[in-house]
Amino acid sequence: MDDEDELHYVQYHSSKESTYLAAIRQLISNDLSEPYSIYVYRYFLYQWGDLCFLALDMQGQMLGVVISKLEPHRGGPLRGYIAMLAVKKEHRGKGIATKLVRMAIDVMIERDADEIALETEVTNTAAMKLYERLGFLRSKRLHRYYLNGNSAFRFVLLIKESAYTSRLGYDVNNEEEPADRPELQPELPPSA
């Protein structure tokens, strides 16, 4: 297969669990370092199956998958979360991952997401480049985040102005700028 036109993208639906779940698990377990139980997949797919998208070839073989969720984050912004993304190795570099992530982002934006977050291993340069091309920013490094001992970067895509300003520490509707708030000023070393 040389042409993306030979692919079709579908939104997961629970009525197709018997068709897709085993293939999703196989694809992700081949690709990602975390060993996820069936319960992790069901947690995402039962609650946010409509934020899961699949790339299938014309024979119905799964080539890629993205699994996501959308919910309030710690009582604050409505945060989308890209939990898992996998594309069969022989089909990488064809825009499949970009298309899958973009589909998930588009639905989250339609549903009023303030921001979208994810983590990826610090060694996964292809994934980091993909997310940066889509506008994600590195938020923090998470040391020894994965069970294999690897560290991760958290990436965040800030969708709404309120998400930007809450991370900067001020509200655009408030006249007070961060410079007016001493608690937001960086600590300077004592002068000699």
Side-chain angles (χ1 to χ4, degrees), residues 5 7 10 12 15 49 52 56 58 61 82 89 91 95 100 102 122-124 152 164 177 179 183 189:
D5 293 337
L7 297 178
V10 298
Y12 177 85
S15 66
C52 171
L56 307 171
M58 297 314 280
Q61 295 297 308
I82 297 175
K89 193 172 274 185
H91 295 283
L100 290 167
R102 188 75 246 172
V122 297
T123 57
N124 193 343
Y164 286 93
E177 295 289 328
E183 70 272 19

Side-chain angles (χ1 to χ4, degrees), residues 79 117-119 137-140 142 145 152-156:
R79 176 182 273 185
L118 62 95
E119 293 86 25
L137 304 171
R138 288 185 199 185
S139 169
K140 65 170 81 170
L142 305 164
Y145 181 77
F153 282 118
R154 174 159 302 135
F155 282 79
V156 178

Side-chain angles (χ1 to χ4, degrees), residues 14-129:
S14 59
S15 66
K16 298 284 190 177
E17 179 178 335
S18 61
T19 304
Y20 294 133
L21 186 56
I24 290 171
R25 291 184 70 197
Q26 183 65 48
L27 182 57
I28 289 172
S29 68
N30 287 344
D31 241 28
L32 302 184
S33 60
E34 292 292 282
Y36 296 111
S37 76
I38 187 72
Y39 303 108
V40 173
Y41 293 98
R42 287 185 172 148
Y43 167 76
F44 285 98
L45 296 173
Y46 285 4
Q47 296 182 78
W48 302 282
D50 55 340
L51 293 173
C52 171
F53 294 92
L54 315 168
L56 307 171
D57 67 13
M58 297 314 280
Q59 289 75 42
Q61 295 297 308
M62 191 174 304
L63 305 181
V65 61
V66 65
I67 296 177
S68 310
K69 71 176 185 171
L70 179 64
E71 63 184 355
H73 179 66
R74 298 182 183 171
L78 187 57
R79 176 182 273 185
Y81 181 71
I82 297 175
M84 300 171 221
L85 172 66
V87 174
K88 280 190 175 181
K89 193 172 274 185
E90 61 271 20
H91 295 283
R92 293 182 190 161
K94 299 177 181 180
I96 296 171
T98 300
K99 172 85 171 172
L100 290 167
V101 172
R102 188 75 246 172
M103 292 172 79
I105 289 170
D106 289 347
V107 172
M108 289 184 230
I109 290 171
E110 286 172 15
R111 295 194 183 155
D112 214 25
D114 295 301
E115 62 186 24
I116 301 169
L118 62 95
E119 293 86 25
T120 190
E121 288 191 45
V122 297
T123 57
N124 193 343
T125 55
M128 289 188 285
K129 287 178 183 177

Side-chain angles (χ1 to χ4, degrees), residues 146-160:
Y146 292 104
L147 292 176
N148 65 8
N150 283 351
S151 296
F153 282 118
R154 174 159 302 135
F155 282 79
V156 178
L157 177 64
L158 302 171
I159 307 294
K160 294 184 181 173

